[in-house]
Amino acid sequence: MAVALWYLWPLLLCSPCVLIQIPEEYEGHHVMEPPIITEQSPRRVVVFPTDDVSLKCEASGKPEVQFRWTRDGILFKPREELGMIVNQVPHSGSFSITGNSSNFAQSFQGTYRCFASNKLGTAMSHEIQLMAEGTPKWPKETVKPVEVEEGESVILPCHPPPSAEPLRIYWMNSKILHIKQDERVTMGQNGNLYFANVLTSDNHSDYICHAHFPGTRTIIQKEPIDLRVKATNSMMDRKPHLLFPTNSSSHLVALQGQPLILECIAEGFPTPTIKWLRPSGPMPADRVTYQNHNKTLQLLNVGEEDDGEYRCLAENSLGSDRHAYYVTVEAAPYWLHKPQSHLYGPGETARLDCQVQGRPQPEVTWRINGIPVEELGKDQKYRIHHGALVLSNLQPSDTMVTQCEARNRHGLLLANAYIYVVELPAKILTPDNETYMAVQGSTAYLLCKAFGAPVPSVQWLDREGKTVLQDERFFPYTNGTLGIRDLQANDTGHYFCQAANDQSNVTIVANLQVKDATRIMQGPRSAIEKRGSRVMFTCQASFDPSLQHSTTWRRDALDLQELGDSDKYFIEDERLVIHSLDYSDQGNYSCVASTKLDVVESRAELLVVGSPGPVPQLELSDHHLLKQSQVRLSWSPADDHNAPIEKYDIEFEDKEMAPEKWYSLGKVPGNQTSTTLKLSPYVHYTFRVTAINKYGPGEPSPDSETVVTPEAAPEKNPVDVKGEGNETNNMVITWKPLRWMDWNAPQVQYRVQWRPQKMQGAWQEQIVSDPFLVVSNTSTFVPYEIKVQTVNSQGKGPEPQITIGYSGEDYPQASPLLEPVKALNSSTVLVRWQSVDPAQVKGHLRGYNVTYWWEGSQRKHNKRHVHKGHVVVPANATSAILGGLRPYSSYRVEVQAFNGRGLGPASGMTFNTPEGVPGHPEALHLECQSDTSLLLHWQPPLSHNGVLTGYVLSYQPLNDGSKEQLSFDLPDPELRTHNLTNLSPRLRYRFQLQATTREGPGEAIVREGGTMALSGMPDFGNISAMAGENYSVVSWVPKEGQCNFGFQIWFKALGDEKLVAHLPPQYVSYNQSSYTQWDLQPDTDYEIQLLKEQVLLHQMAVKTNGTGRVRLPPAGFATEGWFIGFISAIVVLLLVLLILCFIKRSKGGKYSVKDKEDTQVDSEARPMKDETFGEYSDNEEKAFGSSQPSLNGDIKPLGSDDSLADYGGSVDVQFNEDGSFIGQYSGKKEKEVAGGNDSSGATSPVNPAGTLE
C-alpha cells in the first residue's frame, strides 16, 4: 500500500514518551489506567432560591474509580445528607441538591473538593466554592427630603443590597422614565446620582433607584427621594471640587488581563469638564475608552506595562481639582510549564516540572495521590528540586497521581499528572511490508511506530544487516521514523526496522520506490497586455510514466476553471488563453503539475494596462480669485492602470453658450493634482479632468460645480481682416468673428473703420453685428486702410492694427506674348511667354491659365470636338511644361492672364509633337505545328505613335543554360504571322515581339512555350459531353503547359443513316475548351470523334433528348451549297457591321459634344488619357481589338508636371472647359458675403479634377 508521506510528516515529530495512554493498536496486553478528572464544576457556584444545585466530578480509569468529597477540608458524604442525590452512573461522583426552596442551599455553603481513586492512585479536583443567596430586599429606611439651593451640588444615595453577582443600577421617576444624565447629572459606579450643580428644573419628588439582580431575575427599588431646589437670584460661580473620589489620591490593584475602571465625578459652577492624564507615558489608545461624558476611564486587557499613575483633572473657568490613581498590576497564577502525565518503564527516572508565575509570586505545593508531601513519610523516593518533583529508579509499585497546586491572593491553579510504571514487550505498531513512494530529490519518511516499556530502541538496517545511518542523507526521528533526504533512483529497495527492549525484539520491512520527479520544462511567462486584448500562457511538464498526473491552472492560488458558457477563459492541455482582458484579470497565474507524490508550480504575473481610469473627484477653491478671472482646481489622482499618467487634460463646458461641447484649457504633468486656471470673463465654467498615459486618455471625471466669471471689456479684436471687392465699384470688408468665449460680455459688435491709403483724412466708420461690411461707390482697384475693433456692453477692445484692402477688380486688358513651343521629347513640350504689363492687369495678377487640346495625328486631322486640358501657373511663372502628349500629333495651345475678376484675352499657336516609339503588339499567340515548329500570330499595337516600319522578333531557350538570344527583323508592317522552324523539341522558349517606327522599337510583348513534343500527347482526360434535344456541348479542361493546336470534332449518327443528315467535321482550337454542335436529331445516339491529321485523339458517345427522330424532307434548293454559302455571307456581313459599330462606340463616339460638356467625368481631370482625344486612334488606319487604352502607361496626366504646387503659389480660381473664368472673385467666403454667383460649385485650380473639362 502506497502512502503519501507529506500528509503524515507532522505526526512524525511526536515521541512515544509524551503519550498519556497506551495505543489502541497495542493488542494482547490488558493494562490499567490511572484516574483522570474529565469534568468538574467551575471554581465558584452561586445558587439562588428555586435554582437546581449540582456539583460535578467525573473521572476515567481502569479499574473503575471511586469518588469521595471534602467540605472545608473535612470528609463530606453526600449519600448521608438529607435532600442530596448522588449520580449512579459509571465514572461519576456528581451529586445534586433537590428542593432548594426557602434558602435550603444556604446550609450547604462552603468549599468542596472531589477525589477520584483506583489501585494506581488518586486524582483531585480544584476547589469549588458553593455560595447561596436569598431573595434580595432593600432595608427598611426613612428617606427624608433633600433640600438644596439652586446652583449647589448634591448626591442622591442608592446603597443597594450586596450580591455575589454584579448588579445593574437605574435611576427613574415614578413614570418609569430614566433620569436624563449629562455632564451635570451623572450616576457613579457605586450607584449614587451626582449633581454637579442643581437647577430649578431638577425639583422633583420621585427620584427612585432601581437595582436589577440578574441571578434572581428580580428588580427592586428604593424609596423615592424628594429633591427640593430653592430658587435664588444670585447663583455663585465656584471652582471644581471632586465628589468622587473625595481624597487627593488613591491606590488600586488591577488584575492582569482584566479591565481597569477609574472614575472621577466633580461639582462646580459652571459645570466642570474632566480630563485624563498619564504622567508616566502615553495612554494606550487602542485599549482605552472614555465613558459617562469623560468621567469614566476604562482600560481593557490590563498588562504589567499599565502600572503607574493616572490623573483626572476637573476644570472650569474658575479653577481645577485633581485626583491621582496609583495603579499596581497584579496577576493570578498562570502556567509557565504544566506537569504532564507519562508512561515509564522500570528503572527510569521521572521528573515533573511545575513552573508558575503570578503577582505576587504564587506558593507551589505538591501532593501525591491527593496527600500533601509534607504529610508523607520521609522514606519516600521523591525529592523536590527547583519546584520539580523527581523520582528515581522507578518500579511498577511507584505508579501514582501527583498534584501541583499554585496559590496567591488572586487565585489558585491545580494540575494532576500521573506516573505510570509498566513492563510491556516491544511491539512495532506500523504494518509490516508497507510500500512507500516518493520522487527524486524529495525526502521520504519510512514509519516505524514502536511501543513498549521500557521504551524500545529503534534502528534501521539494509539487506545486509548494516545500519543505514552511515549515509548522511539518512536521519532518524525519536519516534522511530527514518527520513531520507535528496532521494536518488538507487535508493529504491527494502529497509528493515528493528525495535527491542529487555523483553522482546521485533522487525518489519519497509519497501521504498523512488519515482521521477515532476518538472515544468517551460512555464508561463509574465506578461503585460493591453485591456481588451488576449493573452496566452503555456505550460510544458514532464511526469513519471507510471504515475497518473494532471495539469491545472490557478489564479492567485485558487483553481481556475472555464466559466460555463463564457468565452473569457479557454483551457486546453498546456495552454491557458484569456480573452477580452480587463483590469480585474490581472494577478498571479500559475501552472500546477501534480501527481499523488509531488506538486510543482510555475508562476507568472499578468499586468493589464490601458488608458487611465476616471479622475474620481474635483474640488474648486480660492473662489475669491474669480474677480481676477482665476480659480484653483484640485483633483484626486486617477488609477493609472499600470502605466504612469503622463498628463491631465483640463476641459470646460459653458452650459449656457455651448452645452455638451467641451474645450481644452490646457494640460498639466501627470504628477500634479492641482492648478490655478486663468479664465475668461463672462463664461459659465463647468470643469472636468481627464488623465492621459501612453495608451491614451481615460474616462473624464464627473463635472465640477459651475462658476461664473464677471463681465469685462474685450481683450481681443477680430483676426483675418480682409478687404476685397466683388464688383468693380465696391469693397467687401470681412473678418473672422470672435469666439463666444472671447466676448467678455454680452452684446458683442464690431467697429469697422476705413479710408483710402496714403491719405491722412478722417476715418469712415460703422458698427455692425455681422462679420462683414460692403463699402459701395469705390473706384476700381484702389487700396484702403482698414481697422476692425471689438465692442461690448463693458467697453471697447484694444486699438486694432491697420490692414490694407482693395476695392473691386476688372478683367485684364492684355494677353501674354507667346514664344515658339520647344519639344522636350515625343510626349512633352515647353510653352513660354512674356509676362503682361501690370498696369493692364486691373487687379492682382493671380497667374496664367494654359489651355491646350489635341487636333489630330499628323497623318489624319481630327474633325470632332475634344476635351481641353488646362494648366494653371502662378503669377511669377512665364512657362509651363505640358506632358503626357500624343507623339506625332498636332496641338493647339492658348495662354491667358487672370486676376480675381477673371480671365483676360488669349494668345494662341499650334505645334506638333515628334514621332515616338510604338506600343506593344497585341495578342501574341503560339500554335504548335510539329515537334520542331511553331506558328506565331499577333495583332499590331493599338498606339502606333508614328509610321510602323515592321517588327523585331527575338527568342531564346529557357532550360538549356544558354543566354544566347536570336533576333531578326520582320520589315513588313502588314505581317500578322510568322512560322518558326528548326526548334528543339525538348526545350521551352521565351518569345519577344516589338513593333518599330523610325524612332526605333517599342515595348515588347512576351510569351513562353514549346513545340508539340514538349507538351506531349494531347490530354483530354477531363472531357465530357452533355446533350439537349437538338444540340450537344463538348467541354474539356486544357492541360497546363499544353501547346495550343487545332483538331476536328465529328458527330457521327449511329443507326439508320437515311433518317439523319450528314454533319461534316468541325475545326476547333484546343485552348477553346468547349464546342457546341447544333442541328442534331432528337433521341439519337451519336459517336463523337476528335481527330488531328486523321489520327483519332479521343472518342465518346452521347444521346440527344426528345421523343423521336424527325424524318428529313426530300432534298431541295435549301440544301444546295450555293444557298448555304449565300446565307453564310449575309450572316458574316451582319456580324462585321455589328463589330464596327461596337468599335466605333468604344473609341469615344458614345458621347455627343453636348453630353461631354454637360457631364463632368473624373477622367477629364486627367487629360490625354483614354477619352481625352476621343475620336482619334491609330487604329483608324490599322484597326485591331475593341478598346482604346492610353498611349503609354508611363505618360503622366496633363498638368501633373507643371502645377501650382511646383511653384509654391496659391491661386484660387475656376474655369470652364474652354478656359472661361467662373465667378467674380477668388474665395468661397467672399461669394457668401457678396451673395454673388453660386452656380459654379467648383474647386481651386490647384486641383483641377472637378473644374476643368
Side-chain angles (χ1 to χ4, degrees), residues 826 857-859 887-889 913-918 944-952 971 973 995-1002:
S826 61
S857 170
Q858 294 186 30
R859 296 178 296 143
Y888 204 56
S889 299
T913 56
E915 189 173 6
V917 296
H944 290 189
N945 295 340
V947 178
L948 289 184
T949 60
Y951 296 90
V952 176
T996 60
T997 64
R998 286 190 294 268
E999 292 297 317

Side-chain angles (χ1 to χ4, degrees), residues 59-80:
S60 64
K62 293 179 183 180
E64 187 72 29
V65 298
Q66 302 296 321
F67 296 90
R68 61 185 175 88
W69 287 86
T70 62
R71 173 184 170 192
D72 296 330
I74 302 173
L75 181 65
F76 177 76
K77 298 180 179 180
R79 296 178 185 273
E80 299 178 1

Side-chain angles (χ1 to χ4, degrees), residues 924-926 934-938 953 976-978 980 991:
L924 176 61
H925 300 289
L926 309 179
L934 280 175
L935 180 64
L936 277 63
H937 300 265
W938 68 84
L953 176 62
R976 298 293 181 268
T977 63
H978 182 76
L980 282 176
F991 300 94

Side-chain angles (χ1 to χ4, degrees), residues 83-98:
M84 288 197 178
I85 300 176
V86 179
N87 289 0
Q88 300 297 325
V89 297
H91 310 296
S92 177
S94 303
F95 67 89
S96 58
I97 302 174
T98 60

Side-chain angles (χ1 to χ4, degrees), residues 26-39:
Y26 194 84
E27 299 175 355
H29 296 272
H30 303 285
V31 296
M32 295 184 292
E33 295 179 4
I36 299 174
I37 300 293
T38 57
E39 188 174 358

